[in-house]
């Protein structure tokens, strides 16, 4: 189906049906992706205040066959929130729908609108002595609707799961403008097809999430955080096994950090405090959340790991300031990566047992092309690695534009060989559509296209994202 531009005449007609100041000319904030590689199209941005406003917007866009690009916090890394190639769409920003509608501490439930900033949602939960565990480096600007639409991951997936696992129910608007008032505070609702799980992770291609009921948890009474130096990723995995044997599901985070990433931080963000005088090749950032004795459990883990040769050195945070320093180091790695400038970045997942061999094999294959610097880090506990390739010292990433696709193909082919995924937590967006077509199961892709065609026959929802136009 051919889409039309969001023309001035169309937007003028739409504006007359909405409250004042619901449509504005767009600006660069809504058109640029965070890595600066893409510039989207769009002449107007819609700023609804209610689910009924969203319904009016989608109904008009569907009737006029005008594309709609939902916009949350703009932090996505796969070009899902900017549309550089399709006819200029209407950008639908959820920033005004940011209310936390209610909190139910006894039920461990919070209900929030899609535009609520993740950090604000976390803070609201803490005010009721509860934990909302979704945690990302971009949590100060990411919005929960976008987190759900992309099934965001983060550092606590090992214990609490992805965004999908934290969602009980949704309110949403379908492409034709019909409203699904689906918010319920139920843990069990076995009444047919799960439309919630269809919209979560759909990246705005099947409808617009406007609100959600989300799971809360008791705040761990004892939180301990440590950095431990390991010989290699294989030793890190064995240390993870030791930790699981000791504290079970009490492991909140288990992050693998490569020395190259620390070197980048030291070079580009010198204010960040480094834990060791000399940067080790590999270390892990571990956090326990227990009812009692988290620090004692970390000390016991260090002792066991040291005895069997898995741990060479380590630090256990003695207070909240040191804990913040440890996490600030982890959060600074993507910032430093951006300042260095990656030739190409990869968000991949692997079976845990395959991680060490993959890292070694991928490094050999990549460095056989050129003497690239590789920063491999990520959420080891759930098998999610960020395998990022950087130019040799003294060179620019633009020097390697001609072979960027070749490097990514090497990585993704190897991921396929190891039965992994080319997208662990960032989604498909527009950046990885070709990869989905290449590596996706044909039967699954056929079902996805059928669902898209039925729910969005005019193809207005985030055109070109996930599925090719």
């Amino acid at each position: 189906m051919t889409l039309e531009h969001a023309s001035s005449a169309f937007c003028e007609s739409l504006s007359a049906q909405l409250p004042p100041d619901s449509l504005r000319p767009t600006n660069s904030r809504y058109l640029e992706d965070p890595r600066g590689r893409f510039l989207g199209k769009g002449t107007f941005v819609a700023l609804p205040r209610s689910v009924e406003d969203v319904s009016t917007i989608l109904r008009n866009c569907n009737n006029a066959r005008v594309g709609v690009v939902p916009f949350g916090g703009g932090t996505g890394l796969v070009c899902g929130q900017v549309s550089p190639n399709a006819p200029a769409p209407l950008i639908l920003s959820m920033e005004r729908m940011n209310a936390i509608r209610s909190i139910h501490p006894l039920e461990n439930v919070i209900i929030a609108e899609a535009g609520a900033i993740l950090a604000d949602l976390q803070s609201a939960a803490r005010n009721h002595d509860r934990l909302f565990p979704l945690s990302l480096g971009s949590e100060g600007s990411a919005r929960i609707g976008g987190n759900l639409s992309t099934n965001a991951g983060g550092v606590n997936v090992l214990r609490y799961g992805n965004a999908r696992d934290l969602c009980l129910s949704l309110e949403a608007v379908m492409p034709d403008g019909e409203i699904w008032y689906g918010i319920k505070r139920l843990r069990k609702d076995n009444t047919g097809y799960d439309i919630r799980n269809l919209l979560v992770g759909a990246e705005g291609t099947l409808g617009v999430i406007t609100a959600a009921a989300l799971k809360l948890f008791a705040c761990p009474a004892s939180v301990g955080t440590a950095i431990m130096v390991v010989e290699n990723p294989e030793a890190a995995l064995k240390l993870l096994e030791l930790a699981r044997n000791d504290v079970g599901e009490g492991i909140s985070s288990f992050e693998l950090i490569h020395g190259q990433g620390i070197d980048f931080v030291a070079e580009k963000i010198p204010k960040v405090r480094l834990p060791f005088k000399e940067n080790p090749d590999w270390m892990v950032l571990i956090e326990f959340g227990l009812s009692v004795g988290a620090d004692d459990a970390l000390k016991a883990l260090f002792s066991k790991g040291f005895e069997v040769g898995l741990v060479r050195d380590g630090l256990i945070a003695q207070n909240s300031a040191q804990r913040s320093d440890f996490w600030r180091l982890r959060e600074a790695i993507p910032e430093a990566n951006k300042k260095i400038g990656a030739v190409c970045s990869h968000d991949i997942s692997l079976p845990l047992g395959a991680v060490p061999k993959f890292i070694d094999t991928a490094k050999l294959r990549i460095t056989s092309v050129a003497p690239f610097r590789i920063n491999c880090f990520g959420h080891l506990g759930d098998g999610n690695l960020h395998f990022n390739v950087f130019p040799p010292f003294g060179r620019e990433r633009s020097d390697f534009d001609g072979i960027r696709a070749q490097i990514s193909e090497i990585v993704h082919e190897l991921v396929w060989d190891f039965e992994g995924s080319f997208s662990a937590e960032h989604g498909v967006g527009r950046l990885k559509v070709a990869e989905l077509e290449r590596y996706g199961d044909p039967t699954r892709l056929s079902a996805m296209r059928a669902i898209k065609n039925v729910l969005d026959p005019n193809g207005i929802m985030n055109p070109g994202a996930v599925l090719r136009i």
Side-chain angles (χ1 to χ4, degrees):
M1 185 65 66
T2 302
L3 294 175
E4 302 294 332
H5 289 280
S7 65
S8 296
F10 167 78
C11 290
E12 184 177 345
S13 172
L14 175 59
S15 181
Q17 302 174 53
L18 294 168
D21 194 33
S22 293
L23 260 69
R24 293 179 180 174
T26 193
N27 57 54
S28 60
R29 172 174 169 245
Y30 301 100
L31 301 176
E32 296 176 352
D33 85 290
R35 288 177 171 158
R37 291 191 184 273
F38 302 95
L39 183 66
K41 294 180 180 178
T43 52
F44 290 89
V45 57
L47 299 152
R49 294 178 173 85
S50 68
V51 65
E52 290 77 19
D53 289 351
V54 177
S55 174
T56 298
I57 292 163
L58 291 195
R59 184 176 65 252
N60 277 267
C61 287
N62 192 54
N63 290 340
R65 295 188 175 88
V66 169
V68 178
V69 174
F71 190 93
T75 61
L77 298 175
V78 290
C79 200
Q81 74 277 30
V82 294
S83 179
N85 298 320
L90 181 69
I91 297 166
L92 177 60
S93 173
M94 303 302 293
E95 62 198 81
R96 286 177 173 168
M97 292 186 63
N98 57 14
I100 294 172
R101 293 182 181 174
S102 61
I103 301 178
H104 308 270
L106 181 65
E107 303 173 15
N108 279 329
V109 176
I110 186 168
I111 299 174
E113 292 182 337
I117 291 175
L118 177 55
D120 293 341
L121 203 151
Q122 295 166 343
S123 178
R126 283 195 299 272
N127 289 340
H128 289 78
D129 197 27
R130 290 294 183 268
L131 171 71
F132 183 63
L134 185 62
S135 181
L136 315 167
S138 59
E139 61 194 30
S141 52
R143 299 180 186 273
I144 192 61
N147 297 147
L148 290 166
S149 292
T150 57
N151 189 28
V155 298
N156 291 327
V157 170
L158 174 63
R159 182 169 187 173
Y160 298 103
N162 291 314
R164 183 189 306 279
D165 302 298
L166 301 173
C167 181
L168 291 171
S169 61
L170 295 175
E171 174 189 270
V173 181
M174 307 310 287
D176 61 0
E178 289 293 316
I179 300 173
W180 175 37
Y181 294 103
I183 294 289
K184 294 182 179 180
R185 307 195 312 267
L186 304 178
R187 303 283 170 152
K188 292 182 177 180
D189 183 14
N190 197 8
T191 53
Y193 301 151
D194 195 340
I195 307 303
R196 167 200 59 173
N197 270 337
L198 195 59
L199 292 176
V200 174
E203 302 187 43
T205 62
L206 300 178
V208 175
I209 294 171
T210 54
L214 302 159
K215 297 178 185 177
L216 300 179
F217 297 83
C219 295
S222 178
V223 176
T225 309
I227 288 179
M228 298 188 191
V229 177
V230 294
E231 185 69 28
N232 50 41
E234 184 175 1
L237 272 183
K238 291 179 179 177
L239 186 65
L240 174 61
E241 183 182 16
L242 280 183
R244 280 179 161 153
N245 290 340
D246 283 352
V247 302
E249 297 305 309
I251 311 169
S252 299
S253 304
F254 200 95
E255 298 288 298
L256 182 68
I257 299 174
H258 186 225
Q260 183 66 78
I262 307 304
D263 291 343
F264 286 166
V265 171
E267 178 184 346
K268 294 297 183 180
I269 316 177
K271 291 184 179 180
V272 172
R273 184 174 298 176
L274 304 183
F276 302 103
K277 188 174 182 180
E278 294 185 5
N279 295 335
D281 287 338
W282 294 100
M283 60 187 188
V284 288
L285 172 59
I286 309 169
E287 187 155 284
F288 288 173
L290 305 174
S291 57
V292 293
D295 285 349
D296 290 338
L298 284 169
K299 291 175 184 176
L301 177 64
F302 177 85
S303 296
K304 289 182 181 179
F306 189 83
E307 287 174 7
V308 297
L310 299 178
V311 178
R312 296 164 48 193
D313 198 356
L315 295 168
I316 297 174
Q318 299 301 301
N319 49 52
S320 60
Q322 286 187 354
R323 179 170 178 257
S324 295
D325 284 344
F326 289 177
W327 279 110
R328 175 61 185 127
L329 172 63
R330 170 59 179 85
E331 292 160 1
I333 294 172
E335 297 176 41
N337 284 351
K338 186 175 181 181
K339 291 177 183 292
I340 295 290
V343 173
C344 48
S345 303
H346 309 93
D347 163 50
I348 59 175
S349 64
L350 297 153
L352 284 185
V355 168
K357 188 175 180 181
F358 171 87
I359 291 174
D360 290 341
T361 306
K363 181 177 179 180
L364 285 173
R365 294 190 183 181
I366 295 300
T367 54
S368 70
V369 177
F372 291 114
R373 293 176 291 175
I374 295 172
N375 182 18
C376 176
F377 68 102
H379 320 303
L380 183 63
D382 55 58
N384 178 190
L385 297 179
H386 301 297
F387 190 91
N388 299 340
V389 180
F390 295 84
F393 186 79
R395 303 283 299 276
E396 301 293 329
R397 73 178 185 181
S398 58
D399 297 339
F400 300 93
D401 284 348
I403 61 171
R404 179 183 296 125
Q406 176 190 349
I407 299 302
S408 286
E409 183 176 359
I410 290 172
V411 174
H412 289 154
E413 283 292 318
L414 191 59
V415 168
W416 174 259
D417 291 342
F418 279 88
E419 300 183 339
S421 171
F422 65 85
S423 182
E425 63 178 358
H426 292 168
V428 176
R430 293 171 179 82
L431 190 62
K432 298 182 179 180
V433 170
E435 281 85 352
L436 181 61
E437 293 171 344
R438 180 168 183 169
Y439 300 109
D441 179 82
T443 301
R444 179 169 178 257
L445 286 172
S446 178
M448 288 170 62
R449 293 187 183 103
I451 292 167
K452 172 73 170 175
N453 289 337
V454 169
L455 294 182
D456 184 22
N458 289 331
I460 67 163
M461 294 307 308
N462 213 2
V466 184
L467 298 172
R468 196 179 300 276
I469 296 176

